[in-house]
Amino acid sequence: MGPIGLLDSGVGGLSVLRQLQKVLPQEDYVYFADTFHMPYGVRSKAELEDIVFSSCDFLLREQCRAIVMACNTASALVLPRARQCYETPLFGVLLPGVRAAAQATLNGRIGVLATEATIISNAYNDALYAISPSIEVYGQACSSLASMVEQGELEGAVVSKALHHCVAPVLRQGIDTLVLGCTHYPFLRPLLSQLVPASVQVVDPAEQTAREVQAHILPAVSGGGTTKFYVSGEIARFMHVATRLIGCPIEPRQVKFGMGANGLTVAVE
Ligand code: DGL
């Protein structure tokens, strides 16, 4: 049985990996961090499709039997079309986040913090509206937050100010539920808890994603619980920040994007 593949623009998807490892500890994982193209949140749908499709192809060559787009931007902009093109089961984080938020809200007012591209796509609004047209969604694009987490900036005045800037407008709308609609943001939870009142439920879509993956795949019987990491950009910085975030040392391998006969392709260096 093949591993489960995960992809993100960097360390964000590690927030999904840690939830998957909790519920499916015996699985093998392949984590693809496309730091070469980070941030995804400012890219167009066409650009992201090219990038994410070639990343999926790479994960399939790594024998992955399922792929989790551990990235809200990719889940919003690329996943629907990717599902039409691949036979391998593909999971996203956005709809699980939507289901968890719809379940959590009591007053029907939900805030969503996400990248610019996710907010502009309206994917959260559309999916929440489909569950209940009476739900009010207040989306807030947080342009610099993912890059700060990617650099390992999880505390201090600069990131605190940036987070406050994102959270304050949605809190003013009387929300009772706040979705962390970018997989980088759960790493800011300690800081966030100083800014968000206890009456607001914070939803990390990774938790529901892990439960849904668990419910839909045939679990590995003989997996070793290993994780392989591949990075398309600078290895040293990813290794340093990821090691800190997951709490154990990792040894990522370098991959490079290039132009193949059929367009963009990813290969191990
Ligand atoms: N972690 C990603 C997300 O969930 C993307 C962040 C970025 O590269 O802009 O949207």
Side-chain angles (χ1 to χ4, degrees):
M1 255 180 166
I4 296 175
L6 291 94
L7 62 88
D8 182 44
S9 61
V11 296
L14 298 174
S15 64
V16 182
L17 178 66
R18 71 180 173 190
Q19 299 299 339
L20 280 169
Q21 286 172 329
K22 268 188 209 166
V23 297
L24 294 166
Q26 77 288 4
E27 295 288 339
D28 293 316
Y29 296 94
V30 178
Y31 187 94
F32 182 70
D34 183 15
T35 55
F36 182 74
H37 292 109
M38 156 85 201
Y40 278 3
V42 297
R43 291 183 185 275
S44 70
K45 183 173 174 159
E47 239 180 324
L48 274 176
E49 266 180 12
D50 263 6
I51 294 168
V52 172
F53 274 52
S54 42
S55 309
C56 286
D57 293 342
F58 172 75
L59 289 171
L60 292 179
R61 289 198 301 278
E62 287 289 304
Q63 313 298 330
C64 290
R65 73 182 199 285
I67 294 175
V68 182
M69 291 194 187
C71 167
N72 286 263
T73 314
S75 303
L77 276 72
V78 184
L79 183 59
R81 177 144 174 256
R83 282 208 170 119
Q84 296 168 1
C85 302
Y86 291 92
E87 280 171 19
T88 306
L90 299 181
F91 297 90
V93 287
L94 193 141
L95 290 179
V98 161
R99 289 187 269 272
Q103 188 95 47
T105 188
L106 293 175
N107 73 0
R109 300 170 81 80
I110 297 175
V112 178
L113 306 183
T115 65
E116 211 164 71
T118 301
I119 295 297
I120 291 171
S121 77
N122 263 333
Y124 268 101
N125 303 53
D126 293 346
L128 281 160
Y129 185 83
I131 292 182
S132 167
S134 65
I135 290 179
E136 303 273 354
V137 184
Y138 302 95
Q140 178 67 41
C142 313
S143 48
S144 53
L145 279 189
S147 300
M148 288 182 180
V149 173
E150 194 62 32
Q151 305 292 333
E153 283 175 47
L154 308 180
E155 58 216 4
V158 177
V159 63
S160 177
K161 195 170 164 206
L163 191 57
H164 174 75
H165 196 73
C166 296
V167 172
V170 290
L171 288 181
R172 279 199 293 273
Q173 303 296 332
I175 58 159
D176 73 350
T177 304
L178 179 66
V179 183
L180 303 182
C182 167
T183 52
H184 281 72
Y185 303 165
F187 294 114
L188 294 172
R189 265 185 108 142
L191 202 54
L192 196 68
S193 63
Q194 297 167 24
L195 302 171
V196 175
S199 56
V200 172
Q201 290 209 58
V202 177
V203 171
D204 173 1
E207 294 170 21
Q208 180 68 16
T209 301
R211 284 192 288 271
E212 293 188 14
V213 172
Q214 184 190 28
H216 287 98
I217 65 159
L218 221 54
V221 274
S222 58
T226 65
T227 308
K228 273 197 219 166
F229 291 90
Y230 292 101
V231 183
S232 64
E234 194 197 319
I235 282 248
R237 192 171 46 81
F238 177 85
M239 197 160 87
H240 177 72
V241 177
T243 296
R244 183 170 151 217
L245 295 179
I246 56 183
C248 65
I250 58 162
E251 279 183 33
R253 290 184 69 184
Q254 184 78 64
V255 291
K256 287 276 187 235
F257 278 84
M259 266 301 161
N262 300 315
L264 205 56
T265 179
V266 181
V268 179
E269 276 274 277

